[in-house]
Amino acid sequence: MFAPFLLKLRAAGLPVSLTEWLALVGATRAGVAEYEVENFYFLARATLVKDERHMDRFDRVFAEHFRGVLPETTITGELITRDLPEEWLRKLAEKLLSEEERQAIERAGGFEALMDLLRQRLEEQKKRHQGGNRMIGTAGTSPFGAFGDNPEGVRIGQEGSRRRSAVKVWDKREFRDLADDAALGTRAMKLALRRLRKFARQGEAEELDMAGTIGATARNAGTLDLRMQAPRRNAMKVLLLLDIGGSMDDHIRASEELFTAAKSEFRHLVHLYFHNCPYERLWKTNHRRAANMIGTEEVLRTYGPDWRVVFVGDASMSPYELLEPGGSVEHWNEEPGQAWLKRITGHFRRVGWINPVPEGHWAHTRTITLIQRLTEGRMFPMTLDGLDRMAKALR
Amino acid sequence: MRFQSTDRYIASRDLEVAVNAAVTLQRPLLVKGEPGTGKTVLAQEIAKGLGLPLIEWHIKSTTKAQQGLYEYDAVARLRDGQLGEERARDVANYIIRGKLWEAFTAPTPVVLLIDEIDKADIEFPNDLLLELDRMQFHVYETKETVAAVHRPIVLITSNNEKELPDAFLRRCFFHFIRFPEREVMERIVQAHYPDVRKELAAEALNAFFLLREVDGLKKRPATSELLDWLKLLMAEEMPPEALRTADMKVALPPLHGALLKNEQDVHLLERLAFLHRGRRS
């Protein structure tokens, strides 16, 4: 009974291994769950799920797998959307709707029409939320809501008992909000960015210099002479230029994660913002106000050529923004964007561009191709492999 | 040994099961959750509930895994050796025991809290894998192996600042403390301040949950902030009417410094209140 459950969890994309499995079996045998279904659910969750983002997926698999085994039948929205059990809907509707209401439905096209509508609605919902994360009715779009039904939506799976408490904990799916299918975790990003490290000794001398001490002590005829040195630190200096233009809205999450990863990896990290294309000024915070402005000339003067510059942006804009004076969408720029890009790439020896747009689509956007040329082919997709390639190119 | 809610700490049932599983199988329990939901307090309560001593190891960004095991003070030994002190002959005199060593060799089982493991370097959890798994480690200087007399109950907390490696997670039980619902929160308030006036607590909770729903707050107030705030309100003998939620939109709640720790959040609320006032007049 348990082994298929494990396989189902793995099939659902939960990283469950034998270690956790044995722990669950061991804990069950030790009587932690005390032979109570709910406790068993809690135990299984504590053992098999290691990330709150996976809890919702776990709840779904649990509900599906233990449906027949558990005393009360419970079905999640996910299952219903897969094969709609018409019998239940009918029974439910009959039970919940008053005589007049049913007549009203008859007039509007009858039960069949209502069922069709419901089924259609469910399919739509499923398509819209690709993760299949919504139970029917929770969004309040189910046609049953219109008939003043249970405010929690269509409650199939609780035939005969309408007690609220009958809803199983795992059917509540309280962790829905935390579910997330992000491909790139911060941890993975950090590991990729680590390739960009370059160590150098800097700062206070607070570490014992072993070789130096031995040498000095020997020269001192055996009397201890301690030598200290500065610890090795990551001396890589990174200037991060982030695009916060409108077209980047889709990629905000990924950019934020990248930023978080970079922030903790580099001691010398400066980040500035631009809108679509860098011109004669940049911004220090993402509220682009005059007070936060910094001239691009000043940036070039402040940061030496040893800084690595990493642009994060989709490089998708109108070609005018890049090629023509006055092409900017928000102000009159004396010089075209490409002049500024050339200045930046000319001053800093190593410049990379991370693009959240999938690599396969790059050729379709003219400005991406142009900027790729301007950065000497150092444009990389925002994937682990891309970060890796960039780290190598900028070393 | 069973852990359950106490009159001071309200634990949900899933948390009880998770703690008991970790205690029974003697594996670490990893606890995550919003800051201020009682992760660190949990360790103290487990220790108190089970009647065991608590050893706390607070992790900082500079903490190394080795420091939890032991440190060899080579410099002190070298100095002593130079001065011809007798104790320099034995290397064991210069081994400084870490928190894990302390926990392993304690005469009774203990609760070991490894607090905020995500603060440390990204490799930190990996360096402790074997030690937490087998509950033993080797001291190279003295060639001895320190093994746990009693396997300690290990509680690890994380604020999600860094992701933890899979191999590490595989060895832990996991619990995510969700933000308590209103009823639970009422019980928590009751448990901490049994003599709080009913109306005051009710109004404070209204204001608190309303505040948590404001969009765009950088740090939403959590349980510990609410408890601090209530304490202040009680100390000031604030009348419950002053907290009426209808007024919340017009002005910030009194003594909001206890609830909002971020000046940007205070500005945000002030701006909202201002907008609202403008609309009403």
Side-chain angles (χ1 to χ4, degrees):
Chain A
M1 151 181 175
F2 282 1
F5 179 48
L6 175 74
L7 294 177
K8 268 187 204 163
L9 284 173
R10 286 189 66 95
L14 283 157
V16 187
S17 75
L18 263 184
T19 324
E20 284 112 341
W21 189 245
L22 292 174
L24 176 61
V25 174
T28 318
R29 196 168 292 166
V32 175
E34 287 178 332
Y35 313 107
E36 230 183 85
V37 179
E38 213 160 273
N39 282 346
F40 176 72
Y41 159 74
F42 289 141
L43 174 67
R45 204 181 68 193
T47 324
L48 302 175
V49 186
K50 297 300 160 63
D51 191 326
E52 64 274 18
R53 285 174 302 190
H54 293 154
M55 282 188 179
D56 184 50
R57 244 182 276 170
F58 174 82
D59 284 357
R60 271 182 277 159
V61 177
F62 190 90
E64 189 192 307
H65 183 75
F66 290 99
R67 179 163 46 120
V69 185
L70 300 179
E72 265 174 275
T73 320
T74 49
I75 290 103
T76 63
E78 180 64 16
L79 265 176
I80 299 160
T81 53
R82 210 171 292 152
D83 55 322
L84 205 60
E86 198 162 337
E87 275 306 291
W88 293 340
L89 292 184
R90 188 182 293 276
K91 209 186 272 177
L92 189 85
E94 274 166 2
K95 201 171 258 178
L96 295 180
L97 304 181
S98 73
E99 193 58 41
E100 298 96 75
E101 281 168 332
R102 266 193 280 171
Q103 275 168 11
I105 299 167
E106 288 297 339
R107 255 176 280 138
F111 259 151
E112 302 321 312
L114 181 68
M115 292 307 153
D116 279 349
L117 185 64
L118 178 59
R119 187 180 293 132
Q120 203 184 325
R121 196 56 58 82
L122 287 169
E123 284 303 329
E124 272 172 27
Q125 279 201 347
K126 196 179 180 187
K127 267 178 221 144
R128 219 180 306 138
H129 312 286
Q130 280 190 334
N133 276 350
R134 293 284 152 103
M135 287 168 72
I136 19 161
T138 43
T141 47
S142 141
F144 279 90
F147 296 102
D149 186 7
N150 191 325
E152 291 221 23
V154 184
R155 289 173 154 247
I156 305 157
Q158 286 184 60
E159 292 174 88
S161 104
R162 292 185 61 190
R163 288 173 297 136
R164 287 266 164 114
S165 56
V167 186
K168 291 282 176 249
V169 255
W170 47 91
D171 274 348
K172 286 193 205 152
R173 300 188 48 204
E174 286 164 328
F175 295 94
R176 227 175 315 169
D177 296 344
L178 301 168
D180 157 45
D181 297 320
L184 261 186
T186 10
R187 182 178 173 84
M189 280 190 185
K190 275 183 201 164
L191 288 173
L193 287 174
R194 286 214 152 173
R195 282 177 167 265
L196 254 182
R197 287 194 294 195
K198 198 175 78 179
F199 284 107
R201 295 197 182 277
Q202 265 179 356
E204 284 286 294
E206 52 190 13
E207 241 178 40
L208 184 66
D209 174 5
M210 216 38 140
T213 305
I214 293 171
T217 306
R219 246 174 277 128
N220 229 349
T223 315
L224 184 59
D225 186 2
L226 286 181
R227 287 292 154 98
M228 306 300 275
Q229 65 186 0
R232 262 157 48 96
R233 291 219 172 95
N234 190 359
M236 183 62 76
K237 297 169 185 167
V238 177
L239 179 61
L240 204 57
L241 295 175
L242 300 145
D243 182 1
I244 39 168
S247 56
M248 279 296 283
D249 287 354
D250 307 339
H251 311 296
I252 282 178
R253 222 193 117 80
S255 308
E256 272 178 353
E257 281 197 354
L258 176 75
F259 180 66
T260 322
K263 208 171 156 187
S264 64
E265 268 322 298
F266 299 107
R267 263 167 71 83
H268 305 280
L269 176 79
V270 173
H271 60 282
L272 297 168
Y273 300 90
F274 63 96
H275 191 184
N276 283 358
C277 182
Y279 298 104
E280 65 274 16
R281 57 195 187 193
L282 300 164
W283 284 268
K284 286 181 192 160
T285 66
N286 61 4
H287 296 289
R288 291 173 301 118
R289 294 206 195 98
N292 308 321
M293 233 156 59
I294 179 168
T296 310
E297 285 282 1
E298 195 187 328
V299 172
L300 294 181
R301 275 200 309 274
T302 314
Y303 304 107
D306 56 326
W307 284 71
R308 266 53 166 185
V309 173
V310 178
F311 286 96
V312 181
D314 56 2
S316 308
M317 57 194 105
S318 124
Y320 295 112
E321 292 178 59
L322 192 60
L323 300 176
E324 299 292 329
S328 163
V329 283
E330 49 186 22
H331 74 296
W332 177 264
N333 51 313
E334 297 289 336
E335 288 175 285
Q338 65 168 346
W340 285 105
L341 268 176
K342 272 184 195 153
R343 224 162 272 164
I344 293 172
T345 47
H347 173 76
F348 299 105
R349 287 182 210 132
R350 305 200 190 276
V351 177
W353 189 298
I354 298 177
N355 197 332
V357 177
E359 205 169 358
H361 301 302
W362 288 0
H364 304 308
T365 310
R366 190 167 159 223
T367 48
I368 294 187
T369 338
L370 283 170
I371 286 179
Q372 210 175 357
R373 210 172 303 150
L374 282 170
T375 54
E376 291 147 7
R378 292 220 194 95
M379 185 182 279
F380 306 96
M382 197 187 268
T383 59
L384 277 190
D385 174 59
L387 287 183
D388 236 28
R389 271 154 50 200
M390 184 199 71
K392 261 184 225 157
L394 294 196
R395 269 192 76 85
Chain B
M1 286 203 295
R2 290 199 65 80
F3 167 76
Q4 49 198 9
S5 288
T6 59
D7 47 348
R8 275 188 59 80
Y9 190 84
I10 312 294
S12 57
R13 246 184 70 211
D14 45 346
L15 178 58
E16 285 175 15
V17 172
V19 171
N20 285 322
V23 172
T24 313
L25 284 210
Q26 304 182 320
R27 282 180 183 231
L29 174 65
L30 171 69
V31 184
K32 281 206 238 172
E34 246 182 77
T37 41
K39 297 188 291 292
T40 309
V41 184
L42 175 66
Q44 290 157 6
E45 292 301 323
I46 293 176
K48 214 192 284 168
L50 302 179
L52 303 174
L54 173 68
I55 294 179
E56 295 180 45
W57 184 19
H58 298 280
I59 306 299
K60 288 186 260 171
S61 65
T62 51
T63 309
K64 299 266 178 301
Q66 183 67 31
Q67 290 169 350
L69 310 178
Y70 68 92
E71 279 174 295
Y72 172 35
D73 193 351
V75 177
R77 188 178 181 208
L78 199 55
R79 280 220 179 94
D80 284 355
Q82 296 270 310
L83 298 172
E85 294 220 7
E86 197 48 44
R87 65 193 291 259
R89 287 188 189 282
D90 189 2
V91 69
N93 288 330
Y94 300 93
I95 302 283
I96 300 164
R97 296 174 177 208
K99 297 280 184 193
L100 276 178
W101 190 329
E102 227 178 281
F104 285 177
T105 52
T108 57
V110 295
V111 178
L112 172 66
L113 167 69
I114 303 180
D115 205 14
E116 309 199 11
I117 195 166
D118 53 330
K119 292 270 179 301
D121 186 76
I122 195 156
E123 292 299 342
F124 180 88
N126 278 334
D127 296 345
L128 282 180
L129 277 185
L130 195 70
E131 284 73 15
L132 287 180
D133 209 21
R134 298 220 194 121
M135 299 273 181
Q136 67 174 49
F137 59 89
H138 189 73
V139 186
Y140 293 95
E141 283 77 5
T142 56
K143 299 185 186 65
E144 65 174 316
T145 300
V146 177
V149 186
H150 305 279
R151 284 175 77 98
I153 297 163
V154 183
L155 196 82
I156 301 165
T157 71
S158 163
N159 276 328
N160 250 351
E161 274 181 29
K162 297 195 180 83
E163 274 177 60
L164 301 169
D166 286 343
F168 179 79
L169 293 175
R170 217 164 280 147
R171 288 164 169 82
C172 305
F173 284 100
F174 171 70
H175 183 77
F176 181 80
I177 299 191
R178 261 176 319 125
F179 194 80
E181 287 156 8
R182 194 182 160 117
E183 307 164 36
V184 185
M185 199 52 112
E186 276 166 12
R187 281 170 58 206
I188 293 174
V189 168
Q190 247 337 274
H192 279 81
Y193 307 120
D195 48 345
V196 67
R197 279 173 61 197
K198 272 232 166 61
E199 308 89 68
L200 181 72
E203 291 293 350
L205 277 172
N206 283 343
F208 173 75
F209 278 101
L210 215 66
L211 194 61
R212 270 184 65 84
E213 274 165 26
V214 174
D215 273 337
L217 282 189
K218 282 219 167 320
K219 163 79 182 82
R220 291 194 293 171
T223 318
S224 64
E225 277 92 13
L226 172 71
L227 292 176
D228 287 350
W229 187 47
L230 262 174
K231 198 172 187 178
L232 271 179
L233 292 176
M234 283 160 67
E236 296 272 322
E237 291 179 3
M238 191 67 67
E241 300 80 50
L243 302 174
R244 276 284 138 75
T245 42
D247 295 331
M248 259 278 287
K249 292 232 170 82
V250 190
L252 289 175
L255 305 168
H256 60 261
L259 288 173
L260 298 170
K261 304 293 175 62
N262 190 313
E263 61 179 81
Q264 281 156 314
D265 286 350
V266 177
H267 285 317
L268 176 80
L269 275 183
E270 273 168 353
R271 226 170 28 240
L272 283 179
F274 182 76
L275 283 176
H276 196 84
R277 226 172 313 170
R279 209 173 301 147
R280 289 216 305 189
S281 55

